[in-house]
Amino acid sequence: MTTSATTPATSPTTTTPQAPRPSAAAKPVRWAADTVSALREGARLRLDYSAPSLWRADRLIDELRREDTPYAAVDHTLRGLGAYAGEVIARQTGAEWWASGGDHWIRTPDGRLWDPIDEARRCFTGDGSLRLLCLDAMAAGR
């Protein structure tokens, strides 16, 4: 006796593929992840991609500035913290990364462009805040 019905082979765990992110996101997402990992290991700073965690990022940048750390010594960290802030904005608002000429911005659903990497650099000069940038971007999306 032959059976016409067959049971398809299934794996015990099924994953749903995520929608691919724009290629502009590749570098800043990596910068953010590298910085989160380095700060967790080196400075014992926990960053969880939440808006409140940007307060800790602002404090770290402020401490670096007050210690008169040379800009060249923190350039990559600032870039990573800016990318981290951009990722927080992207996750909170549905924004996407945009890139042109080596620069990276976040575009919120309302069409506005934000430059979190430059904002991190402005924080280092005492004239910016990643937390406030995120709050502004989140408010603009409402």
Side-chain angles (χ1 to χ4, degrees):
M1 180 165 127
T2 56
T3 307
S4 61
T6 60
T7 305
T10 58
S11 64
T13 58
T14 305
T15 59
T16 304
Q18 291 184 346
R21 298 199 54 192
S23 62
K27 285 184 180 180
V29 167
R30 183 80 239 150
W31 297 333
D34 289 348
T35 299
V36 166
S37 178
L39 291 175
R40 181 178 47 241
E41 297 302 318
R44 302 280 187 238
L45 182 66
R46 306 279 306 164
L47 298 174
D48 61 3
Y49 292 94
S50 68
S53 72
L54 292 173
W55 179 81
R56 292 187 293 275
D58 278 345
R59 278 189 50 210
L60 173 65
I61 294 171
D62 189 46
E63 289 173 22
L64 293 169
R65 182 182 70 253
R66 280 187 278 132
E67 293 172 358
D68 291 325
T69 307
Y71 178 81
V74 295
D75 183 38
H76 281 61
T77 301
L78 294 174
R79 181 186 69 185
L81 287 169
Y84 171 77
E87 270 301 288
V88 171
I89 294 168
R91 293 176 185 201
Q92 297 292 321
T93 68
E96 292 183 341
W97 282 101
W98 281 53
S100 176
D103 293 327
H104 294 81
W105 302 280
I106 284 288
R107 182 171 188 231
T108 49
D110 65 356
R112 293 178 65 184
L113 289 173
W114 306 83
D115 191 346
I117 295 171
D118 185 58
E119 189 70 13
R121 293 176 180 134
R122 289 171 21 93
C123 289
F124 188 68
T125 65
D127 192 32
S129 169
L130 296 175
R131 182 180 60 83
L132 293 178
L133 178 77
C134 181
L135 291 175
D136 287 348
M138 289 171 54
R142 293 183 187 147

